[in-house]
Amino acid sequence: MKVALLAATLASASAFVPQSAPKFGTSLNLKQDFLEYSPYYDHSAVKVNTFKNKAPFTGKVVSTKRIVGPKATGETCHIIIDHNGDFPYIEGQSWGVIPPGNREKDGKPHAVRLYSIASSRYGDDMTGSTGSLCVRRATYWCPELKADDPAKKGICSNFLCDTEPGAEVVMTGPAGKVMLMPEEDPTTDYIMVATGTGIAPFRGFVRRLFMEDTPAAEAYKGEAWLFLGV
């Protein structure tokens, strides 16, 4: 038995089989197999850093939704971004987000913040045109003010959680090949350990294996364990 232990913490389409992806919002009654490598488990051609700081990509927000209850400690949002199929990635990679504006201390643009992608390569609507992020709003409770200190809030997380449909998001990446899901052996058992929004990459793994009609899902015969601790 082969076991893959994966852990996460808070923290060009030509590479794929050349088939046309459906347009965003298309109602799908077809297999999710149009963004696969050949064979599907071969990660040797996975692209990284297609878009960089000096030449980033601009996506558009489809929706931003609070995904915790009214009494939850803090706020976590699920954000779907439309990339029109021009920003391919695979499960386990990250997007960089450049928040708008400049830093107060030196007037320079804000630095890139990395967020693990929370959807499979097909996106939540399975068209291959979107990707999702799972973002916790970063705030700081000031005991003296007895309120959140706006001067110490997270620049990028608050920008993302405040976005509305149609908002533009400047992005880099995709980043990373360390967290890619090993798929060559379909009997591999996956043990996924996450804390908080570290759940993001594993959401993509679970969707690929159990919710989508992918070659990986068709072949998979192992067990997947997901441990979430906050």
Side-chain angles (χ1 to χ4, degrees):
M1 178 181 69
K2 185 176 181 180
V3 177
L5 176 61
L6 306 164
T9 57
L10 185 63
S12 117
S14 60
F16 299 97
V17 176
Q19 300 182 37
S20 297
K23 292 182 179 180
F24 172 73
T26 301
S27 178
L28 296 181
N29 292 307
L30 47 90
K31 292 172 67 70
Q32 284 73 60
D33 61 0
F34 53 89
L35 293 178
E36 299 295 326
Y37 296 98
S38 183
Y40 72 88
Y41 51 78
D42 183 4
H43 295 159
S44 62
V46 171
K47 295 294 185 70
V48 294
N49 299 322
T50 304
F51 296 96
K52 302 180 181 179
N53 293 33
K54 294 184 177 180
F57 179 86
T58 300
K60 287 194 175 183
V61 172
V62 175
S63 64
T64 300
K65 181 180 180 181
R66 177 186 170 101
I67 56 173
V68 293
K71 296 183 179 180
T73 302
E75 181 180 21
T76 301
C77 294
H78 184 75
I79 302 149
I80 301 177
I81 299 174
D82 183 6
H83 59 77
N84 199 36
D86 297 325
F87 199 162
Y89 61 87
I90 72 168
E91 304 74 26
Q93 292 192 293
S94 300
W95 273 339
V97 176
I98 304 175
N102 299 313
R103 299 183 301 202
E104 291 185 5
K105 63 179 182 180
D106 55 17
K108 294 182 179 180
H110 290 297
V112 172
R113 273 72 162 179
L114 287 178
Y115 293 90
S116 295
I117 302 171
S119 55
S120 79
R121 69 194 72 183
Y122 295 101
D124 286 355
D125 65 351
M126 303 185 191
T127 65
S129 296
T130 69
S132 302
L133 299 178
C134 181
V135 179
R136 179 182 173 87
R137 187 189 294 273
T139 58
Y140 172 75
W141 176 266
C142 177
E144 296 179 356
L145 295 175
K146 295 184 178 180
D148 288 335
D149 186 344
K152 297 181 180 180
K153 68 179 182 180
I155 298 296
C156 198
S157 65
N158 279 271
F159 160 67
L160 288 170
C161 289
D162 288 337
T163 55
E164 297 181 352
E168 294 187 341
V169 180
V170 180
M171 305 159 64
T172 64
K177 295 179 74 171
V178 175
M179 281 286 294
L180 304 186
M181 183 166 60
E183 297 181 310
E184 185 170 1
D185 182 355
T187 66
T188 297
D189 292 334
Y190 299 113
I191 301 174
M192 297 169 280
V193 183
T195 59
T197 51
I199 193 71
F202 303 140
R203 181 179 184 272
F205 292 177
V206 170
R207 288 181 64 87
R208 178 166 175 78
L209 290 175
F210 301 110
M211 297 183 66
E212 299 174 351
D213 192 2
T214 63
E218 185 176 353
Y220 190 57
K221 299 296 187 293
E223 293 185 349
W225 294 76
L226 174 59
F227 297 90
L228 174 62
V230 178

